Amino acid sequence: MVEVSKLGLDGVCEIRLPRFEDARGFFSETWNAGKLAEAGIAVDFVQDNHSLSRERGVLRGLHFQKPPFAQDKLVRVLRGSIYDVAVDIRVGSPTFGKWVGLTVSAKEWNQILVPKGFAHGFVTLEPDTEVAYKVSAPYSQPHDRSIRFDDPDIAIDWPVAAQDPILSDKDAAAPLLAEVETGFVYP
């Protein structure tokens, strides 16, 4: 049975799919378009991404792509755990600039769906964490954007102190949300 739990922002949800275990190990469908469409999630994914973060405290984000290359993302953890965040960047939305976070882990076998119109980021909670995620549009460098992970107007309560995360140069130089043309308008 597919379990879908809404996380408080329009379209952002936690997904749990069954995992069948026996003496050999386990089996699980991590994506089934038909079953998830029955649960209200109908997304056509076109690309799978996989990242490895060697250290605890690697922070990736906040990222998004502007239309027409906007991406829905379905994120899961293969090894380790992350604190995953979605930020509403749809201008005019009643929840514009608001965020929601969820711990996603290999142990919990949960996933988070981050729809178009939301910036996405995560911080690793364990060393050697591997994250796999599906996206609904291919990567497009001209449409790729970032927002500062520590934007005070968003005020994300990351489980890693603001001075401690390990960032890429791109993420360290990201602008504030107020300085970014997101390309998304609500509704």
Side-chain angles (χ1 to χ4, degrees):
M1 174 186 343
V2 175
E3 293 177 38
V4 177
S5 303
K6 295 179 180 184
L7 297 178
L9 292 179
D10 188 27
V12 181
C13 57
E14 178 181 23
I15 299 171
R16 291 181 179 267
L17 296 164
R19 189 161 101 166
F20 305 98
E21 298 189 45
D22 63 22
R24 300 169 296 163
F26 73 85
F27 171 82
S28 180
E29 291 179 343
T30 58
W31 172 254
N32 181 309
K35 288 179 183 175
L36 283 153
E38 289 173 11
I41 298 170
V43 179
D44 291 323
F45 290 112
V46 300
Q47 180 177 312
D48 283 356
N49 300 325
H50 187 143
S51 71
L52 166 68
S53 298
R54 297 241 181 253
E55 304 291 329
R56 178 188 184 279
V58 171
L59 197 149
R60 298 177 186 264
L62 302 162
H63 302 148
F64 69 97
Q65 288 192 172
K66 290 178 67 169
F69 289 92
Q71 297 176 323
D72 300 289
K73 295 179 181 180
L74 181 64
V75 182
R76 67 188 184 99
V77 175
L78 306 175
R79 179 173 46 163
S81 60
I82 61 174
Y83 187 70
D84 199 282
V85 170
V87 178
D88 188 345
I89 58 170
R90 301 168 300 160
V91 175
S93 166
T95 57
F96 178 80
K98 303 292 185 208
W99 65 275
V100 65
L102 176 71
T103 298
V104 180
S105 71
K107 180 180 177 185
E108 288 296 317
W109 205 245
N110 58 340
Q111 301 179 55
I112 186 170
L113 178 67
V114 179
K116 296 171 186 165
F118 289 80
H120 171 256
F122 65 83
V123 64
T124 57
L125 302 176
E126 302 177 46
D128 295 319
T129 292
E130 290 189 62
V131 176
Y133 56 100
K134 296 181 165 309
V135 294
S136 62
Y139 175 73
S140 173
Q141 192 279 328
H143 298 87
D144 185 39
R145 299 291 185 273
S146 297
I147 298 167
R148 280 210 51 97
F149 77 97
D150 60 352
D151 184 329
D153 289 338
I154 301 171
I156 297 169
D157 186 16
W158 295 101
V160 173
Q163 67 275 16
D164 293 339
I166 302 164
L167 301 168
S168 69
D169 292 342
K170 171 187 159 185
D171 290 344
L176 301 173
L177 176 56
E179 301 167 340
V180 175
E181 168 54 53
T182 70
F184 295 99
V185 178
Y186 179 86

